[in-house]
């Protein structure tokens, strides 16, 4: 019983009812103008819904009145954005018509059901209404008092049910379109990837620097040797400087993460990476097959980062050696391979944070990465699914 009556004390029930009443204000004004054409307000909504900004306004109203969040949180299932496509415009038109139709039902229910309850309460006392159908010819009887709660129960069910129905329709017609869902997915993917990258950088660089500093300080205190203490302090200073440089690098990642997704580099700009590697002395042999422009945004951006990390590892660990880069765009996957020769005096890139980052980026997109020696070369081979 408590659960059944809970909507009575919920503010959302009454804000939803207010949302249903709003269209009836315009209908009421029109009825004062011309009662013979009550369909005109619904006809006006057809061109009105095609205006892009109308979807924005309806989304704001729906979030404020249909799904009022706590502490300023918004319901992501209802979009607050102008119409971007004709499909969005048509969905807005349907929403406006549905809102007006349900508003008409809610208006009739909230006016006539209380009136009906009042009439039923007056009938036992001899008051017979003249303007209420079915009851205008009723005879006074005490039994009519038993039916007084019935219209109020129907009113309660109508208010709660219509509120739930209009909210469900709002989520359906004012919810994010396919393009908006894709953009939101890209944003979430980018945030997750950047968070993982920042955590990895902090763990590998800052964590290591702090560990070294703590160990050196403890050893200097225990030794009691001024010369050893000087050397320990020098090591702590050097480690601190390196940590500051790493921290600045991590902060640059944070600043970059605030850029919009569309502003970050993709594989279409891979030539810039290749030219940078050539300017550093590496002999880069690059081959690109397939249209890079057809690669989805998240895949193209992460492919760029993987290529960047691979070339950086080559320059850092192997030096100015020949590098072979192969990028292939296929129907189902993006293939990226970076190879450089291994010699007796040059080892391949180690299993540090760079290679872990490549593997993590590939895994987050559902792909796979193979790194390690292969037929005298050091190889980084990554497969990323296109969908």
């Amino acid at each position: 019983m408590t659960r059944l009556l809970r909507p009575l004390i919920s503010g959302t029930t009454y804000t939803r009812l207010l949302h249903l009443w709003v269209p009836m204000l315009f209908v009421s004004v029109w009825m004062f103008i011309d009662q013979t054409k009550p369909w005109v307000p619904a006809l006006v909504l057809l061109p009105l819904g095609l205006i892009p900004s109308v979807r924005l306004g309806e989304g704001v109203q729906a979030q404020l009145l249909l799904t009022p969040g706590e502490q300023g949180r918004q319901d992501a299932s209802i979009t607050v954005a102008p119409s971007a496509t004709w499909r969005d415009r048509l969905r807005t038109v349907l929403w406006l018509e549905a809102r007006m139709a349900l508003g008409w039902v809610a208006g009739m229910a909230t006016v006539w059901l209380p009136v009906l309850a009042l009439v039923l309460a007056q009938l036992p006392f001899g008051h017979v209404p003249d303007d209420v159908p079915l009851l205008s010819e009723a005879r006074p009887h005490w039994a009519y008092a038993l039916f007084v709660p019935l219209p109020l129960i129907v009113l309660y069910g109508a208010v709660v049910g219509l509120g739930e129905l209009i909210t469900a329709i709002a989520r359906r017609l004012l919810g994010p379109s396919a393009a908006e869902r894709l953009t939101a997915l890209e944003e979430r993917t980018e945030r997750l990837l950047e968070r993982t990258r920042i955590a990895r950088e902090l763990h590998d660089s800052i964590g290591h620097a702090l560990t070294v500093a703590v160990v050196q300080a403890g050893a200097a205190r225990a030794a009691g040797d001024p010369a050893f203490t000087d050397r320990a302090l020098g090591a702590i200073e050097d480690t601190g400087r390196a940590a500051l440089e790493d921290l600045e690098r991590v902060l640059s990642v944070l600043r970059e993460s605030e850029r919009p997704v569309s502003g970050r580099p993709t594989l279409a700009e891979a030539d810039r990476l290749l030219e940078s590697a050539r300017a550093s002395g590496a002999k880069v042999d690059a081959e690109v097959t397939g249209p890079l422009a057809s690669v989805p945004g998240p895949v193209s951006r992460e492919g760029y980062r993987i290529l960047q990390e691979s070339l950086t590892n080559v320059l850092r660990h192997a030096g100015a050696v020949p590098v072979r880069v192969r990028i292939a765009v296929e129907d189902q996957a993006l293939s990226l391979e970076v190879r450089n020769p291994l010699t007796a005096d040059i080892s391949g890139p180690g299993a540090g944070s760079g290679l872990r980052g490549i593997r993590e980026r590939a895994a987050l997109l559902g792909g796979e990465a193979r790194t390690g020696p292969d037929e005298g070369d050091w190889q980084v081979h990554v497969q990323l699914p296109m969908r």
Side-chain angles (χ1 to χ4, degrees):
M1 181 62 70
T2 303
R3 183 179 179 182
L4 184 63
L5 298 178
R6 189 175 300 166
L8 283 176
I9 59 175
S10 173
T12 302
T13 300
Y14 303 102
T15 58
R16 289 175 176 176
L17 181 59
L18 176 61
H19 185 271
L20 289 167
W21 277 345
V22 170
M24 294 302 99
L25 297 176
F26 301 100
V27 175
S28 301
V29 172
W30 173 254
M31 294 301 289
F32 280 108
I33 299 174
D34 188 353
Q35 296 184 4
T36 63
K37 299 176 181 178
W39 44 266
V40 170
L43 184 64
V44 172
L45 295 180
L46 295 177
L48 185 65
L50 299 178
I51 302 174
S53 58
V54 170
R55 182 169 179 252
L56 171 62
E58 291 296 317
V60 171
Q61 290 185 57
Q63 284 199 348
L64 290 177
L65 299 178
L66 297 182
T67 59
E70 298 178 359
Q71 299 179 353
R73 289 181 296 179
Q74 294 182 338
D75 188 349
S77 62
I78 298 177
T79 302
V80 180
S83 299
T85 64
W86 279 104
R87 181 180 177 85
D88 292 339
R89 293 183 174 92
L90 294 177
R91 292 170 69 202
T92 305
V93 170
L94 291 176
W95 159 252
L96 292 175
E97 298 292 350
R99 183 182 178 185
M100 176 164 286
L102 293 181
W104 183 86
V105 175
M108 296 293 291
T110 53
V111 170
W112 287 107
L113 289 175
V115 170
L116 181 59
L118 180 61
V119 169
L120 290 173
Q122 292 175 340
L123 275 173
F125 300 99
H127 179 76
V128 179
D130 297 330
D131 53 352
V132 178
L134 301 179
L135 296 179
S136 59
E137 299 180 0
R139 296 180 179 181
H141 194 279
W142 64 267
Y144 284 108
L146 300 177
F147 294 96
V148 171
L150 185 59
L152 300 179
I153 294 174
V154 175
L155 174 62
Y156 170 74
V159 170
V160 175
L162 289 173
E164 293 290 342
L165 180 59
I166 192 65
T167 303
I169 294 175
R171 291 188 172 120
R172 179 73 175 179
L173 297 179
L174 295 180
S177 62
E180 290 168 338
R181 287 195 296 269
L182 179 59
T183 300
L185 178 60
E186 288 190 13
E187 294 284 354
R188 287 195 296 270
T189 302
E190 289 290 333
R191 285 195 296 269
L192 178 59
L193 291 170
E194 293 299 339
R195 243 188 257 121
T196 303
R197 179 180 173 186
I198 291 168
R200 185 176 64 248
E201 292 285 345
L202 288 174
H203 178 271
D204 291 346
S205 59
I206 309 300
H208 171 74
L210 292 176
T211 300
V212 171
V214 169
V215 172
Q216 290 283 357
R221 176 187 295 178
D225 182 0
F228 183 84
T229 300
D230 288 340
R231 291 195 299 273
L233 290 175
I236 292 174
E237 181 181 6
D238 294 339
T239 304
R241 292 181 185 279
L244 287 175
E245 294 177 359
D246 290 336
L247 180 60
E248 180 61 31
R249 188 154 43 87
V250 172
L251 291 177
S252 69
V253 173
L254 284 172
R255 286 191 291 269
E256 181 183 347
S257 66
E258 297 175 357
R259 296 169 55 191
V261 173
S262 59
R264 301 184 191 178
T266 64
L267 279 177
E269 304 172 58
D271 288 343
R272 185 172 61 185
L273 292 177
L274 301 177
E275 290 302 323
S276 177
R278 292 187 180 103
S280 300
K283 302 176 180 62
V284 181
D285 175 23
E287 179 181 339
V288 178
T289 57
L292 292 178
S294 66
V295 180
V299 179
S300 187
R301 282 186 282 273
E302 291 313 306
Y304 179 93
R305 292 302 187 195
I306 290 171
L307 177 60
Q308 182 182 49
E309 190 66 42
S310 300
L311 293 175
T312 300
N313 285 340
V314 171
L315 295 172
R316 180 184 301 165
H317 298 285
V321 298
V323 183
R324 188 173 65 182
V325 176
R326 297 291 182 267
I327 303 174
V329 180
E330 302 169 352
D331 291 338
Q332 301 296 327
L334 168 70
S335 177
L336 193 152
E337 183 182 65
V338 179
R339 301 176 71 98
N340 63 278
L342 291 174
T343 61
D345 56 342
I346 298 179
S347 61
S353 62
L355 294 183
R356 284 202 303 274
I358 291 173
R359 289 190 288 267
E360 288 173 359
R361 288 182 183 276
L364 285 172
L365 290 178
E368 60 178 356
R370 299 194 306 272
T371 60
D374 180 63
E375 298 180 354
D377 291 339
W378 181 268
Q379 172 193 244
V380 174
H381 185 82
V382 178
Q383 289 277 123
L384 300 179
M386 294 284 280
R387 297 177 179 84

